[in-house]
Amino acid sequence: AVFLPERLRMHLISLRAPANSAVYLQNIDFHFHFQGALEVISSRAVDIFINNAQDCATNIGLNGGEDFFTMQCLDALGVAHMTDYSLLYDKYSQGPGWNLFDIDNCTNQGLVAMHPFKAVNSWLGCWKVANGVQVPDDFVSCQGAWDGDACSLNGGVQGHPEQPLGDGIVFKK
């Protein structure tokens, strides 16, 4: 995931969670609202979780991923949650037609994290777009990109098969 901590700080300030409270943030309007690409949990809630995780494993079970287990355990322990669905953009929550290396949604200045970006070049491309260093039009179209290169689904720049493997950025800034 591309994570921008300074943006998280702004979200936390605007949420105004009670000081020293045990709370976690629901981070996306998808499935169970707590995707593991960005788990925001207060230190007090983490302490409660750590002290009771074994009991949760015994009583709740270990079905599902670590994010689902963590959320179920925190809920069972009475830890409160707050909601900020603008924290995370996760491609896995989208319908058909997304591309693993597409950086178009990295332009959203309100997002704290974008997921997944598992290839170095696509991660770096998203980070550059999110920080205003590049724009999606600087990238090759996803239809002509090398596997792993950052690309733009909306981009009109076509890659050239005879060009050596690059990073997907056509116009470097």
Side-chain angles (χ1 to χ4, degrees):
V2 174
F3 171 58
L4 303 158
E6 66 282 356
R7 293 185 187 177
L8 177 59
R9 192 172 304 113
M10 298 309 296
H11 282 259
L12 293 174
I13 289 168
S14 68
L15 281 171
R16 297 182 175 178
N20 301 314
S21 61
V23 65
Y24 72 93
L25 299 184
Q26 290 186 334
N27 58 17
I28 192 168
D29 191 13
F30 180 68
H31 285 306
F32 53 92
H33 308 291
F34 188 69
Q35 295 292 102
L38 177 70
E39 296 175 9
V40 181
I41 307 170
S42 72
S43 59
R44 187 153 180 237
V46 169
D47 290 341
I48 291 169
F49 175 78
I50 289 171
N51 291 331
N52 295 281
Q54 187 57 51
D55 289 338
C56 286
T58 301
N59 296 311
I60 295 172
L62 298 173
N63 295 330
E66 82 353 276
D67 47 5
F68 188 63
F69 171 77
T70 301
M71 183 198 70
Q72 284 188 308
C73 184
L74 291 170
D75 288 345
L77 295 168
V79 172
H81 71 266
M82 297 178 79
T83 301
D84 185 346
Y85 292 153
S86 65
L87 291 173
L88 173 65
Y89 173 79
D90 197 313
K91 292 178 185 180
Y92 295 137
S93 70
Q94 304 303 301
W98 60 270
N99 182 292
L100 189 60
F101 310 113
D102 173 41
I103 48 78
D104 289 340
N105 285 296
C106 301
T107 59
N108 184 333
Q109 295 296 302
L111 293 170
V112 171
M114 288 73 65
H115 180 259
F117 287 94
K118 297 178 188 245
V120 172
N121 286 339
S122 63
W123 186 96
L124 188 57
C126 180
W127 185 90
K128 286 181 175 184
V129 169
N131 285 290
V133 176
Q134 303 281 164
V135 296
D137 286 345
D138 293 340
F139 292 82
V140 66
S141 166
C142 290
Q143 291 180 339
W146 290 99
D147 191 37
D149 279 355
C151 63
S152 172
L153 279 176
N154 299 317
V157 178
Q158 297 301 312
H160 300 285
E162 66 274 2
Q163 287 183 337
L165 190 61
D167 57 10
I169 301 173
V170 179
F171 305 104
K172 294 190 186 293
K173 294 181 182 170

